[in-house]
Amino acid sequence: MDALELLAHPVRLRVVHAMSGGRTLTTAQLCDRIPDVSKATVYRHVALLAEHGLLEVAGEQRVRGAVERRYRLRRERAVVDAGTAASLSPEDHRRVFAAAMATLIAEFGAYLDREGADPAADLVGYRQHAVWLGEEERAELIEELRAAILPRLAYGPAPHRTRHLLSPILFPVEEPPRETPRETP
């Protein structure tokens, strides 16, 4: 199973999100962070992610006669490269996007279900903006977003930090304009 197949599942994607930022967590701790998913389901998906190398065992200890493993995300393995993304069919893109949106909806629902959830105080945002961009302008926007986001992906857990989920989505909503001959004055 490749990274795309592994990541195109809402529960596995939620595990990857929970493990991000250099965390090492046990499966029991993951279950606490994903309370709306059954423990058996979380355990099954953690095992699959570990079997395929997206999670690695960071340590083990005996707890009440059983071995408890702490896992760490192998960030470099939890990506879909540009070549793979370019080779996807429209149906593959539809399936992966649906998994990403199901994950986003589940994560947002879990946030709202927490005691004391306060979207206004937490500056929760889910705005959509229609922007007109040429090819160069689109490339520039993507580069600017990367420049703003990538350094922050290296931030780890700290007493003053709360983990946030940021999901930039960009796609054309209209057909691109057809080239028309320019009139000469």
Side-chain angles (χ1 to χ4, degrees):
M1 194 177 291
D2 63 9
L4 176 67
E5 197 64 33
L6 287 164
L7 296 172
H9 188 283
V11 173
R12 291 192 292 266
L13 196 50
R14 290 182 73 190
V15 168
V16 168
H17 290 164
M19 297 295 298
S20 65
R23 284 184 161 163
T24 58
L25 300 171
T26 66
T27 308
Q29 290 171 319
L30 280 167
C31 289
D32 291 342
R33 285 169 172 71
I34 311 173
D36 56 309
V37 177
S38 76
K39 289 181 180 186
T41 299
V42 172
Y43 274 81
R44 185 173 61 250
H45 288 291
V46 165
L48 192 62
L49 289 167
E51 175 186 335
H52 291 281
L54 274 74
L55 296 180
E56 67 182 355
V57 176
E60 295 179 338
Q61 67 183 27
R62 282 222 171 270
V63 177
R64 287 176 255 136
V67 175
E68 180 180 67
R69 291 183 178 94
R70 287 180 297 115
Y71 293 95
R72 175 180 25 247
L73 178 66
R74 293 184 61 198
R75 189 83 193 149
E76 76 281 359
R77 304 279 315 261
V79 296
V80 176
D81 63 59
T84 300
S87 72
L88 296 179
S89 70
E91 199 50 45
D92 290 333
H93 279 286
R94 184 174 302 167
R95 182 176 52 84
V96 172
F97 186 79
M101 292 303 97
T103 301
L104 191 59
I105 290 167
E107 291 279 7
F108 192 65
Y111 160 74
L112 290 175
D113 290 343
R114 285 195 330 243
E115 188 174 324
D118 187 346
D122 292 335
L123 301 177
V124 169
Y126 40 84
R127 293 166 185 81
Q128 294 180 356
H129 305 281
V131 294
W132 293 85
L133 302 168
E135 284 185 37
E136 288 180 21
E137 295 162 326
R138 182 184 61 207
E140 184 178 86
L141 173 64
I142 291 169
E143 189 54 40
E144 289 169 358
L145 289 170
R146 282 187 182 140
I149 296 168
L150 285 177
R152 288 161 177 87
L153 293 178
Y155 294 176
H160 67 284
R161 290 192 179 127
T162 302
R163 190 171 60 94
H164 291 77
L165 186 59
L166 178 64
S167 299
I169 300 167
L170 174 70
F171 59 92
V173 293
E174 297 177 357
E175 290 282 331
R178 298 192 192 277
E179 291 293 324
T180 56
R182 291 189 168 186
E183 293 182 21
T184 55

